[in-house]
Amino acid sequence: AKAYYYTTIATATKAICSTPIVIDSQLYFRSESPGLSSPILVSGLTIGAWRITDIREIVLGKVTEFTFQDNTKEKLIRSESDEADLYKACFIAIAKKLYKKTHTQEGIEYEANLMMMRKEYVDCVNKALRAYYKKLTDAEKAKAKKAEEKALAAKKRMKSEKVRAEKRAKAREDAIEIQKEAYLRAMRELKSES
């Protein structure tokens, strides 16, 4: 059995490291380096700080912003050679949040590929993507509902305008009928007087 030691991100680059683990609600990295005797807390990260709470596409298919549980944000910019895979982008965003100070871009991508095999990260990403797609469908439904309400309001306006036009026409006809009746009555009175 191997003895594991716990280290920070800074010393983790000198040892073979796995993904983060939690001890007493604090985030540590486990390493197989025998030179470390006591656990060292990873500064600034607490349990669940890497969990994605919101995904927002700033530029459609080009720039995506990820918001994490501790309200920090990471932006990923897709180059032309990259494939548009939001699932993988989530893992890269998590890896970037955890390792950006100590790893190169290739190291971050390597860690993201390792995270794709860890259930806790997969569950987190699946939950975030479900929320993102639900938000998209809700936005589309709201947009469709708004368009439907707008069309219904336009139809109502047309109908009420038609009713008002009919009322105006009827009022004109009634006024003409009254004038006609008054004219005929006046003509009858003139004939009866003469």
Side-chain angles (χ1 to χ4, degrees):
K2 291 183 181 180
Y4 291 102
Y5 302 90
Y6 300 95
T7 180
T8 62
I9 294 176
T11 56
T13 57
K14 298 175 186 166
I16 302 169
C17 288
S18 66
T19 51
I21 61 167
V22 176
I23 301 173
D24 297 327
S25 299
Q26 299 296 323
L27 190 62
Y28 293 86
F29 286 85
R30 185 176 71 185
S31 84
E32 297 176 13
S33 175
L36 299 170
S37 58
S38 63
I40 303 171
L41 177 65
V42 175
S43 59
L45 293 176
T46 57
I47 183 169
W50 50 266
R51 295 190 189 280
I52 298 172
T53 56
D54 188 37
I55 301 170
R56 187 170 68 100
E57 287 203 56
I58 298 172
V59 178
L60 191 63
K62 187 75 173 157
V63 180
T64 308
E65 182 179 72
F66 297 87
T67 305
F68 293 92
Q69 199 163 6
D70 60 353
N71 290 327
T72 58
K73 296 180 181 190
E74 290 292 339
K75 285 184 186 174
L76 293 183
I77 300 170
R78 186 175 74 83
S79 66
E80 296 299 323
S81 61
D82 293 339
E83 60 181 79
D85 185 5
L86 191 57
Y87 183 74
K88 187 170 183 173
C90 289
F91 288 104
I92 292 173
I94 293 171
K96 185 177 177 184
K97 177 174 178 47
L98 294 174
Y99 302 109
K100 72 179 170 188
K101 292 182 181 176
T102 59
H103 287 53
T104 63
Q105 184 60 36
E106 291 79 13
I108 289 172
E109 288 180 17
Y110 174 77
E111 292 293 341
N113 287 332
L114 291 178
M115 287 178 185
M116 287 178 156
M117 295 178 245
R118 296 280 310 256
K119 188 169 180 15
E120 62 185 327
Y121 294 109
V122 171
D123 291 345
C124 170
V125 167
N126 287 339
K127 182 179 177 184
L129 287 175
R130 275 194 304 273
Y132 173 70
Y133 291 127
K134 184 179 185 312
K135 184 173 72 170
L136 285 181
T137 56
D138 289 349
E140 288 174 5
K141 285 178 184 177
K143 192 176 181 181
K145 185 176 180 180
K146 190 174 180 180
E148 184 179 319
E149 287 173 354
K150 195 174 181 180
L152 188 62
K155 186 176 178 182
K156 241 182 180 179
R157 268 194 311 275
M158 287 177 55
K159 186 175 179 180
S160 64
E161 184 61 38
K162 183 179 176 184
V163 168
R164 274 184 268 163
E166 287 173 357
K167 283 183 181 179
R168 283 194 300 267
K170 186 171 180 351
R172 251 192 326 268
E173 289 295 322
D174 289 345
I176 291 171
E177 194 62 38
I178 291 171
Q179 284 178 349
K180 180 179 167 185
E181 188 63 38
Y183 178 75
L184 289 175
R185 192 177 303 154
M187 291 299 281
R188 272 186 255 144
E189 285 178 12
L190 280 177
K191 281 187 181 180
S192 64
E193 286 178 10
S194 26

